[in-house]
Amino acid sequence: MEIVVPKKNKIWAFVIVGFFVLISIATYAEHEYYVYLQAYLWFGFIYGMCLQYGRFCFASAFRDLFAVGVPRMVVGIMIATILFGFTSAFVNATGWSTFHPAPTGIHVVIAGTIFGVGMVFAGGCASGSLYKTGEGNGVALLVVLSISLTQSTFVDIGGWFNKLVPASWAASAASKGLPDVINVSDGWIDQYLAGYVWNQPVLRFAEMLGMKTDSVSGAFLGNLVVGVTIPALLILIWVYFFWVRKNYAKRVLKERNSVSIKDHIAGFWGMITSSKRTALAGLFLGVACGLQMFVIEGLRMKFGVKNAGTLLHRLGFDYGLSAKGTVFDPGYWYVTTQEAQWVGWVFQKLGWNHMDNIFFGWVNGLPNPAFNPADWMSVALIGGAAVMALLSNEFKFKRPTMELAVWAIAGGFFMGIGSRLALGCNIGGFFVRAANGDPAGWLFGLGMIGGAFIGVKFFNWWTERKMAKEMAVLDLEL
Amino acid sequence: MKTSLWIIIMIVIAFLGFMMGYALPPFMEVGFGQGGDVTQGGTVSEEELEKQYQQMYQEGDTGATTE
């Protein structure tokens, strides 16, 4: 059935697209280096459209699974991960991928657990909250603000928190030879990063199997088959076994006396094909993610740089570049780091020095948000989601209630902590890493699933307790 | 809805095509499967830039020179 879209919605959709077109043309007229930022912008726009179209949200996925037993979104996400894995394998095989694996260790599981609890409380993951903000959802905007504020504060927190740093981390961090201006001995996260995380192994499935990632066998067999497809299939089988199998078997038993392996294969396939919308969004997300890596790497070659900080320097924007002259420039889809930079930049302007820590001062910098490549991606993501929501008549301003606001802030807080401990969220910490054969991605995913389970159980307990109280009050009144 | 969406998709594809036009030639020149150092040109080398910024930080200048 054709959706009737009000003319007003269409006009607003074109106003948003027109704004991005205007920005692109005007900045290109200023200097061709801005093509680099435009690449982030238009890929962000595509991500926003895909996320909104597929209702691609990790929080909804695991909440629906654990709370009401609906596996549709989890299945869609796993399919999307495999599809993205395929495009990533292609890019990796060429040797020109922008992806960097993360240090792997138990910290990633812990961080994923904290993040998983947070996303269930907030009612949206990091990327889900961004696209829902584009739909006009005030709660999602609060989540984004809470994630941003928590991260930018957490990465600079020191003082009393230094007492919680193990002596071995402090000693290891001090031995890394960071410049004095970073002041590595003051800051919990600084010592966690330099004293613990940087000492952990950086692995990929291809290398673990004795292959090279930038070879066809390493990229496709080591990373895609062993590192992406098999773990994703195991999760799909787990979902089928615990949530789908029983109902499917009941249906089959109505027609026949027994359920064969063949029936279960048909049931498994039915589960996969029932997530068409999410899977289709996942297909486009996967292709776009791979293409972004190609485009960014090509532009780096074209302009002879390794990081956008050099381009900003050449354009005359020195403010907020890190001690190495860099800015946050992942070269692929990322969500939370640029959110931390928004608030960090404001704090820096207000006089709270945020450039004396590793996260901002040594690695990501704090450039003006107007010239921050990853910021262009996130703003365009919100715009892309808004356009899609307007054109499908799903855009609506929703003000948060006080209760939802509290959950949003609490959820954003936990997601912010989890993101910084894992060096990424459900996208940079799980989706991109898992699809590129980085075991840290799956470890984060395991933690996130566990955290979501805990979050759902807590949420159910809280809701039941609240309802019981309300019923008790009603009983007294009656 | 469909017409509007298709127009927007065409605009997005046009920009993607434009950026691909920028990104592909360097690959053609260097060759696929030849991953390595991407820096070939530029006015200031990244190593020089890094040294420059570290120097700036040691002197207590946070680089706020253009805003």
Side-chain angles (χ1 to χ4, degrees):
Chain A
M1 196 176 73
E2 177 80 12
I3 304 163
V4 181
V5 181
K7 200 177 173 186
K8 191 178 73 175
N9 282 17
K10 290 182 187 173
I11 292 170
W12 271 110
F14 280 105
V15 166
I16 294 168
V17 177
F19 173 73
F20 291 133
V21 169
L22 195 70
I23 291 279
S24 301
I25 294 171
T27 51
Y28 184 71
E30 177 72 20
H31 203 291
E32 71 166 346
Y33 285 159
Y34 282 103
V35 173
Y36 197 87
L37 277 79
Q38 287 164 25
Y40 275 100
L41 186 152
W42 287 104
F43 279 107
F45 191 85
I46 294 169
Y47 298 147
M49 288 180 83
C50 292
L51 287 175
Q52 205 284 332
Y53 174 78
R55 314 282 192 283
F56 207 83
C57 179
F58 286 62
S60 311
F62 292 106
R63 188 190 53 209
D64 292 355
L65 185 70
F66 294 136
V68 285
V70 175
R72 189 182 56 85
M73 187 68 75
V74 173
V75 173
I77 286 172
M78 284 305 120
I79 294 168
T81 308
I82 296 172
L83 293 170
F84 179 30
F86 183 78
T87 55
S88 295
F90 181 73
V91 178
N92 281 321
T94 65
W96 291 109
S97 173
T98 52
F99 177 74
H100 297 290
T104 300
I106 188 69
H107 67 284
V108 188
V109 184
I110 296 166
T113 308
I114 297 169
F115 186 91
V117 170
M119 73 180 187
V120 170
F121 283 6
C125 58
S127 54
S129 298
L130 268 187
Y131 95 71
K132 287 172 191 170
T133 301
E135 290 178 334
N137 189 324
V139 178
L141 179 62
L142 265 181
V143 175
V144 173
L145 291 175
S146 178
I147 294 175
S148 311
L149 186 65
T150 304
Q151 288 185 95
S152 61
T153 307
F154 187 46
V155 296
D156 202 53
I157 209 156
W160 181 84
F161 286 89
N162 291 327
K163 291 179 184 169
L164 302 177
V165 176
S168 59
W169 292 8
S172 177
S175 70
K176 293 292 189 305
L178 288 159
D180 293 342
V181 69
I182 296 301
N183 197 8
V184 75
S185 60
D186 181 26
W188 191 90
I189 274 283
D190 284 352
Q191 293 171 90
Y192 164 74
L193 289 173
Y196 170 73
V197 175
W198 292 358
N199 298 338
Q200 304 309 306
V202 176
L203 308 163
R204 275 211 259 194
F205 282 97
E207 277 80 25
M208 287 160 74
L209 294 168
M211 297 179 237
K212 278 187 170 182
T213 284
D214 57 0
S215 67
V216 174
S217 60
F220 283 92
L221 187 64
N223 287 339
L224 177 62
V225 176
V226 180
V228 184
T229 312
I230 291 176
L233 278 176
L234 286 175
I235 289 178
L236 288 172
I237 291 167
W238 169 67
V239 169
Y240 178 77
F241 192 82
F242 286 101
W243 285 277
V244 182
R245 184 181 55 106
K246 216 183 232 177
N247 285 341
Y248 185 75
K250 266 185 198 169
R251 255 189 292 160
V252 174
L253 285 172
K254 278 182 188 169
E255 296 165 12
R256 297 191 283 280
N257 290 332
S258 62
V259 186
S260 65
I261 294 287
K262 203 178 162 188
D263 289 325
H264 281 304
I265 292 170
F268 185 76
W269 182 246
M271 176 186 83
I272 287 175
T273 50
S274 68
S275 315
K276 269 183 196 157
R277 194 171 169 130
T278 314
L280 194 63
L283 171 67
F284 284 111
L285 276 174
V287 172
C289 286
L291 208 57
Q292 185 184 10
M293 289 183 176
F294 252 129
V295 168
I296 295 289
E297 195 65 9
L299 290 172
R300 283 177 185 172
M301 273 195 277
K302 163 84 180 168
F303 298 134
V305 298
K306 286 179 187 167
N307 182 277
T310 314
L311 291 180
L312 292 182
H313 174 85
R314 288 181 197 165
L315 286 166
F317 302 113
D318 283 9
Y319 182 85
L321 302 193
S322 77
K324 295 186 286 184
T326 56
V327 292
F328 181 56
D329 177 20
Y332 48 86
W333 189 14
Y334 231 91
V335 177
T336 43
T337 297
Q338 58 266 40
E339 289 176 354
Q341 285 178 309
W342 294 338
V343 177
W345 180 81
V346 173
F347 280 152
Q348 182 75 14
K349 285 285 179 187
L350 292 174
W352 177 359
N353 183 12
H354 265 51
M355 292 297 275
D356 62 349
N357 60 60
I358 290 174
F359 183 70
F360 291 127
W362 183 245
V363 184
N364 299 307
L366 274 176
N368 184 327
F371 304 103
N372 184 344
D375 272 346
W376 282 40
M377 181 163 62
S378 288
V379 171
L381 191 155
I382 294 172
V387 165
M388 209 63 190
L390 284 163
L391 293 180
S392 50
N393 214 6
E394 289 170 0
F395 185 92
K396 195 179 178 188
F397 282 116
K398 288 176 201 155
R399 283 178 62 177
T401 61
M402 184 54 81
E403 188 184 1
L404 285 178
V406 171
W407 282 109
I409 292 166
F413 172 80
F414 285 116
M415 281 196 280
I417 302 282
S419 299
R420 288 295 37 94
L421 292 177
L423 321 183
C425 59
N426 57 298
I427 297 301
F430 170 71
F431 188 57
V432 178
R433 281 183 197 155
N436 278 276
D438 180 352
W442 289 111
L443 289 178
F444 184 84
L446 280 180
M448 187 170 63
I449 293 170
F453 182 77
I454 296 166
V456 166
K457 291 292 167 199
F458 181 84
F459 205 83
N460 286 348
W461 171 79
W462 181 269
T463 313
E464 280 167 18
R465 184 172 159 268
K466 194 184 154 207
M467 280 176 71
K469 271 186 182 175
E470 283 172 3
M471 292 302 285
V473 172
L474 269 176
D475 281 346
L476 283 174
E477 283 174 358
L478 287 172
Chain B
M1 182 249 184
K2 275 186 180 167
T3 316
S4 306
L5 184 60
W6 276 112
I7 294 170
I8 288 167
I9 288 172
M10 294 316 289
I11 293 170
V12 174
I13 290 174
F15 274 96
L16 279 189
F18 176 71
M19 286 178 296
M20 287 298 284
Y22 255 90
L24 267 179
F27 282 115
M28 301 302 210
E29 208 173 299
V30 179
F32 287 95
Q34 305 291 317
D37 192 2
V38 299
T39 52
Q40 294 161 353
T43 51
V44 184
S45 80
E46 299 220 329
E47 287 71 24
E48 282 172 34
L49 191 65
E50 188 173 328
K51 275 182 200 161
Q52 189 181 325
Y53 272 91
Q54 286 196 27
Q55 181 70 27
M56 242 193 257
Y57 268 72
Q58 299 298 354
E59 289 165 5
D61 182 348
T62 52
T65 55
T66 56
E67 277 200 349

